[in-house]
Amino acid sequence: MARREITQIFDDLDDSPLNENDAHVLRFSIDGSGYVMDVSTKNCEKFKDAIAPFIEKARPESISARRNSEQKYNPKDVREWAIARGYEVAVRGKLSRQIIDDYLAAHS
């Protein structure tokens, strides 16, 4: 017996089924958060038309500007700061993004 698995892609905006030729993956970000959508050619154009006036007025962000805007921190300092303020922090391992963000906000 043979088995065949088929993946069906649906438009994230209108839930219509998409074929391979009509499926577009839109990736965009705003305010530091990234997003991904699968959409049809029609909805892809609709999206691009909607943001076109904003793109025309915007300037590209340089990679060096992006890197400079990312604040540096010492995990040991963050851990000590968080413990002193009553956060639940593991002795070892990765710090939560929320703790890091709170630390950076307190030190900016």
Side-chain angles (χ1 to χ4, degrees):
M1 172 154 70
R3 178 182 292 202
R4 182 184 311 173
E5 292 186 28
I6 299 171
T7 301
Q8 177 67 60
I9 302 170
F10 291 87
D11 189 301
D12 288 327
L13 288 178
D14 61 22
D15 207 33
S16 62
L18 302 173
N19 63 45
E20 248 181 79
N21 298 330
D22 194 36
H24 296 269
V25 178
L26 283 176
R27 298 177 194 279
F28 61 98
S29 65
I30 186 165
D31 294 338
S33 296
Y35 302 92
V36 179
M37 293 188 329
D38 296 317
V39 294
S40 66
T41 301
K42 179 180 115 186
N43 284 333
C44 183
E45 291 305 316
K46 234 165 105 172
F47 176 83
K48 290 178 180 180
D49 290 344
I51 65 169
F54 298 95
I55 291 174
E56 287 173 16
K57 299 294 182 180
R59 61 189 174 280
E61 181 182 44
S62 69
I63 292 172
S64 61
R66 209 174 316 145
R67 283 190 188 132
N68 290 339
S69 69
E70 295 172 5
Q71 292 177 289
K72 304 286 188 243
Y73 62 91
N74 181 331
K76 181 181 175 200
D77 294 340
V78 175
R79 194 175 307 280
E80 289 172 0
W81 176 88
I83 291 169
R85 280 153 188 80
Y87 286 83
E88 287 187 35
V89 184
V91 177
R92 296 180 350 166
K94 188 174 180 179
L95 293 161
S96 76
R97 184 76 243 172
Q98 183 62 52
I99 291 174
I100 295 168
D101 290 345
D102 290 352
Y103 172 84
L104 292 173
H107 291 86
S108 61

